[in-house]
Amino acid sequence: MKKLLISLLFAFIALAANAQPNYDYSKIQREHLGRGLVCLNDGNWTIISWRLLKGEEKDFSFNVYQNGKLLNKKPISNATFFKTKRIKKDVVYEVRPVRNGIEMKDKDVAYFNLPHSNNNSYLSVPLRVPAGGTTPDGRPYSYSANDASVGDVDGDGEYEIILKWEPSNAHDNSHEGFTGNVLIDCYKIPNSFDNGKDPFLWRIDLGRNIRAGAHYTQFMVYDLDGNGKAEIVMKTADGTVDGKGNIIGDKDANYVFDGNMEKTIEGKGQAQRSRVTGRILSGPEYLTVFSGVTGEALKTVDYLPGRGVTDEWGDTYGNRSERYLACVAYLDGIHPSVIMCRGYYTQSYLAAWDWNGKDLKLRWLFDSEKLDRERPQGTNRYSGQGNHNLRVGDVDGDGKDEITYGSMCVDDNGTPLYSTGFGHGDAMHQYAFFPNDKSLQIWDVHENKRDGSELRDAKTGKVIFQIPSGDDVGRGMAADIDPTNYGLEMWSASQKGYFDVKGKLHETAKWIPQNSAVWWDGDLLRELLDRESVQKFDWTTGDCKKLIDFKAVGCAFNNGTKQNPCLSADIFGDWREEVIVRTQDSRELRIYTTTIPTDYRFPSFMEDIPYRLSVATENVAYNQPPEPGFYFGSDK
């Protein structure tokens, strides 16, 4: 244990000194966060946690006050976490920055009002559960809280929650059936100073011409125009109702196949009629920018590309044409653009848009089919390479972002960077896997019963090592879970155990969770987030120990076997991450934050642009955990 503690100490020193991201933060347009103070009662103790911001690493320490009384004997410089005896009365806690020994002025102070009756290690957000409905064929459906994102919609330096409501009959186009409407809400994160004020801000109803399912509504939440307030961007259609009640397009239009539209699919007859019921294969498609403050539609343009002729995507029922991805990227190295994508099983399109507060302008359109027609025979194709998710980061070190789109990568100017030709997969992770190395790598898994899993260079696509497999490798994870190995570990559904960065397999008899991960306890290793729990991996035994069981306290994860919370991200408090889950009845969101002490301090992960961008894309299709653009782990 002593050896491990010494190792972690050296890891902290090395991490702070060497593993810095590539971004020039002095130029990039980004959100401006506040102190993110949060206070919770945990048994006989009160836990106080706050953000360290970029640029405060060396000169800043902090004082903590309880009803005006200084609690710490000297300024706190080794952590942004403080624990004090709980008192039985309402308390106002303050955190005051101290710079070079001088306490800063009132405007820099963060306040949090904590009622003594608060007994939970989470913040509660009451929800407005939508009324259910009945489909045209007479089947009832209800709603549950699903994927979420965060953004500072009102410019106060703290995040609001944007939440998608999923109807119980949500389906991919690979399945027939009507679905209920998709709804998008915005909620404030309550502080007890709000005195019970309803946190609900607005609701957008995407209408009947947007189908519900994991691969349809990818909503991007980000401050795109630099006004300090986040916008929301997503695909819309005729009948979408914005947060102010305004209708986009034709409110009476109905493009949902009802089973009696056989003329639309020539020559298919009754057999095809039953297959298309509930699917949407025609009608206008739009892209809309919404105000984060009000939910009002600010600008609507045609969605690019349109679906065209459904058959040309490889099927007649829209399974391939109705697959969407999205992300935000700094394509010029300064301003964020939103990239809306269509297709990954066959052709793939990425459309990059810029929003200046008034106009939504197309920057470029990536067309895999056009590129493949121009490529020599025998070279790796760009079509058919997409995953159920994507990653963003400056992989080539030029200060501009690239989009890793499954087995291919698109450069910042919309031209191809590389394709491995390994094809489609469900999960992908982009990190700096090697300590003291700023370059990024990709751990990718594939479903073609051939290419298995591989670790590759994110800039060139060159394979570092590969584990071929005749199985459908559906899931894979990467994180530092074993401090005795150099660099990160990675594992997938195709083997028991985990690989180190040299490709050596460390076998375990036990199954290791594969869906997600979270920084939760006090060390630099990452914990596992899966099956409605946070789990700690024990590298000496191969066991996983539950640190928190969300199901046991009445909460639930989402999206079937993908088993993810509404969101996991460093949304307030110190550098460790929060987990946002819904209660089983969806009447409440709970934001859980760790109460485990730590002696480390780092700037909020949200201050790292690649991490922030991966939080923005976390709601896309098969959710993946957010990951920074630099090495973070237990190695010195």
Side-chain angles (χ1 to χ4, degrees), residues 27 167 253 261 315 442 585 615:
K27 295 181 180 179
M261 301 178 68
D315 61 54
I442 298 286
D585 60 6
V615 171

Side-chain angles (χ1 to χ4, degrees), residues 112-113 124 156 188-199:
F112 197 98
N113 187 30
S124 175
D156 67 354
K188 293 283 290 182
I189 297 176
N191 184 311
S192 48
F193 284 109
D194 297 330
N195 295 318
K197 182 180 178 181
D198 186 354

Side-chain angles (χ1 to χ4, degrees), residues 286-523:
Y286 307 128
L287 180 66
T288 301
V289 180
F290 294 90
S291 164
V293 180
T294 64
E296 179 184 10
L298 301 176
K299 186 72 174 183
T300 297
V301 298
D302 290 337
Y303 191 93
L304 294 178
R307 64 173 60 86
V309 180
T310 304
D311 295 25
E312 294 180 354
W313 290 82
D315 61 54
T316 60
Y317 52 94
N319 186 42
R320 289 170 172 80
S321 66
E322 307 307 302
R323 298 282 176 153
Y324 304 95
L325 300 174
C327 63
V328 175
Y330 287 84
L331 300 174
D332 65 359
I334 300 175
H335 307 95
S337 302
V338 63
I339 296 92
M340 305 303 291
C341 316
R342 185 176 210 142
Y344 39 77
Y345 290 133
T346 53
Q347 57 260 51
S348 298
Y349 298 91
L350 289 77
W353 297 90
D354 295 332
W355 169 249
N356 64 8
K358 294 182 179 180
D359 296 313
L360 193 57
K361 295 184 177 180
L362 183 69
R363 175 180 283 264
W364 49 251
L365 176 66
F366 178 93
D367 179 344
S368 69
E369 284 291 288
K370 180 177 184 297
L371 287 165
D372 286 342
R373 287 194 298 269
E374 299 169 352
R375 289 170 65 78
Q377 291 292 327
T379 56
N380 291 336
R381 288 174 55 84
Y382 289 101
S383 294
Q385 304 303 311
N387 274 24
H388 289 298
N389 33 64
L390 71 178
R391 292 288 182 179
V392 178
D394 177 15
V395 304
D396 57 8
D398 65 355
K400 303 174 184 179
D401 281 328
E402 285 71 44
I403 298 99
T404 301
Y405 201 82
S407 293
M408 70 172 177
C409 187
V410 179
D411 207 350
D412 56 81
N413 59 4
T415 61
L417 199 61
Y418 69 81
S419 172
T420 66
F422 291 157
H424 168 72
D426 277 9
M428 175 174 56
H429 303 276
Q430 181 169 283
Y431 274 104
F433 279 68
F434 296 85
N436 306 321
D437 186 345
K438 294 182 180 180
S439 65
L440 298 175
Q441 292 79 38
I442 298 286
W443 174 246
D444 200 3
V445 300
H446 307 283
E447 291 191 306
N448 57 20
K449 298 184 178 181
R450 180 192 67 206
D451 293 306
S453 314
E454 98 277 353
L455 180 67
R456 70 177 186 260
D457 181 87
K459 176 181 178 180
T460 64
K462 181 179 178 181
V463 174
I464 298 169
F465 71 85
Q466 185 173 11
I467 313 298
S469 176
D471 297 326
D472 177 334
V473 184
R475 305 303 289 165
M477 257 302 300
D480 190 13
I481 60 172
D482 183 347
T484 66
N485 292 324
Y486 177 78
L488 301 188
E489 288 74 46
M490 61 220 85
W491 59 101
S492 71
S494 64
Q495 81 287 318
K496 288 185 177 180
Y498 50 97
F499 294 95
D500 61 30
V501 292
K502 298 178 181 179
K504 178 182 177 182
L505 176 63
H506 300 254
E507 292 189 82
T508 61
K510 307 288 178 62
W511 175 83
I512 306 175
Q514 300 165 355
N515 277 322
S516 193
V518 61
W519 280 290
W520 189 260
D521 66 8
D523 62 29

Side-chain angles (χ1 to χ4, degrees), residues 496-621:
K496 288 185 177 180
Y498 50 97
F499 294 95
D500 61 30
V501 292
K502 298 178 181 179
K504 178 182 177 182
L505 176 63
H506 300 254
E507 292 189 82
T508 61
K510 307 288 178 62
W511 175 83
I512 306 175
Q514 300 165 355
N515 277 322
S516 193
V518 61
W519 280 290
W520 189 260
D521 66 8
D523 62 29
L524 302 183
L525 300 172
R526 208 170 192 191
E527 285 63 60
L528 304 169
L529 183 61
D530 202 353
R531 299 192 175 186
E532 297 172 323
S533 65
V534 174
Q535 302 180 43
K536 181 73 172 180
F537 177 71
D538 185 337
W539 61 92
T540 64
T541 65
D543 292 321
C544 288
K545 176 185 177 182
K546 286 186 179 181
L547 302 182
I548 182 169
D549 185 338
F550 296 110
K551 186 176 182 179
V553 292
C555 296
F557 278 15
N558 296 319
N559 302 324
T561 61
K562 304 308 176 284
Q563 276 288 299
N564 56 270
C566 297
L567 185 75
S568 62
D570 180 16
I571 63 174
F572 50 57
D574 65 23
W575 57 274
R576 293 166 300 173
E577 296 169 300
E578 282 66 50
V579 180
I580 303 180
V581 295
R582 62 178 175 91
T583 53
Q584 292 171 359
D585 60 6
S586 286
R587 294 186 179 278
E588 176 188 7
L589 287 183
R590 293 181 181 177
I591 310 175
Y592 281 87
T593 189
T594 182
T595 58
I596 301 171
T598 181
D599 290 330
Y600 296 110
R601 73 173 201 171
F602 305 100
S604 168
F605 276 118
M606 289 297 220
E607 295 271 271
D608 175 64
I609 295 298
Y611 180 94
R612 180 65 184 90
L613 297 178
S614 63
V615 171
T617 62
E618 195 176 335
N619 68 78
V620 171

Side-chain angles (χ1 to χ4, degrees), residues 56-342:
E56 296 180 347
E57 296 93 324
K58 294 182 180 180
D59 302 330
F60 277 68
S61 54
F62 297 91
N63 286 332
V64 178
Y65 291 84
Q66 182 188 74
N67 287 345
K69 178 184 176 182
L70 181 64
L71 296 180
N72 48 291
K73 294 181 179 179
K74 61 180 182 179
I76 302 165
S77 59
N78 67 324
T80 49
F81 180 97
F82 189 80
K83 185 176 178 180
T84 187
K85 279 284 187 179
R86 180 177 178 179
I87 60 175
K88 294 183 178 180
K89 62 179 179 179
D90 292 1
V91 186
V92 174
Y93 285 99
E94 305 169 46
V95 168
R96 297 176 177 264
V98 178
R99 187 174 189 180
N100 294 324
I102 300 174
E103 191 173 87
M104 300 180 73
K105 297 180 180 179
D106 285 349
K107 66 178 182 179
D108 300 305
V109 175
Y111 300 89
F112 197 98
N113 187 30
L114 181 64
H116 75 277
S117 58
N118 184 314
N119 293 305
N120 300 314
S121 58
Y122 61 84
L123 295 185
S124 175
V125 183
L127 300 178
R128 292 192 181 183
V129 182
T134 304
T135 60
D137 56 355
R139 300 181 182 184
Y141 63 88
S142 58
Y143 281 95
S144 61
N146 192 253
D147 292 332
S149 191
V150 291
D152 180 8
V153 305
D154 54 12
D156 67 354
E158 304 300 338
Y159 289 122
E160 283 71 48
I161 297 173
I162 292 79
L163 175 70
K164 180 175 77 169
W165 288 99
E166 189 94 304
S168 55
N169 55 5
H171 295 294
D172 294 330
N173 265 16
S174 57
H175 303 279
E176 69 171 341
F178 295 98
T179 73
N181 293 6
V182 177
L183 309 174
I184 305 290
D185 284 3
C186 184
Y187 295 89
K188 293 283 290 182
I189 297 176
N191 184 311
S192 48
F193 284 109
D194 297 330
N195 295 318
K197 182 180 178 181
D198 186 354
F200 174 83
L201 295 181
W202 48 256
R203 172 170 291 169
I204 295 167
D205 183 341
L206 291 179
R208 62 187 170 192
N209 293 310
I210 293 290
R211 189 165 165 82
H215 304 291
Y216 288 84
T217 297
Q218 324 298 352
F219 56 101
M220 292 295 100
V221 181
Y222 212 82
D223 179 11
L224 297 170
D225 58 6
N227 69 350
K229 300 178 182 180
E231 292 81 32
I232 295 89
V233 183
M234 55 192 160
K235 187 174 184 282
T236 56
D238 284 341
T240 293
V241 182
D242 74 7
K244 283 195 166 184
N246 304 309
I247 298 173
I248 294 172
D250 181 356
K251 66 181 178 61
D252 297 319
N254 185 357
Y255 300 103
V256 183
F257 282 9
D258 63 4
N260 296 304
M261 301 178 68
E262 65 274 21
K263 292 181 181 179
T264 306
I265 311 294
E266 295 181 5
K268 299 297 181 180
Q270 180 67 38
Q272 180 64 14
R273 218 182 302 155
S274 66
R275 293 179 65 196
V276 301
T277 302
R279 297 185 176 97
I280 302 164
L281 302 179
S282 62
E285 301 175 281
Y286 307 128
L287 180 66
T288 301
V289 180
F290 294 90
S291 164
V293 180
T294 64
E296 179 184 10
L298 301 176
K299 186 72 174 183
T300 297
V301 298
D302 290 337
Y303 191 93
L304 294 178
R307 64 173 60 86
V309 180
T310 304
D311 295 25
E312 294 180 354
W313 290 82
D315 61 54
T316 60
Y317 52 94
N319 186 42
R320 289 170 172 80
S321 66
E322 307 307 302
R323 298 282 176 153
Y324 304 95
L325 300 174
C327 63
V328 175
Y330 287 84
L331 300 174
D332 65 359
I334 300 175
H335 307 95
S337 302
V338 63
I339 296 92
M340 305 303 291
C341 316
R342 185 176 210 142

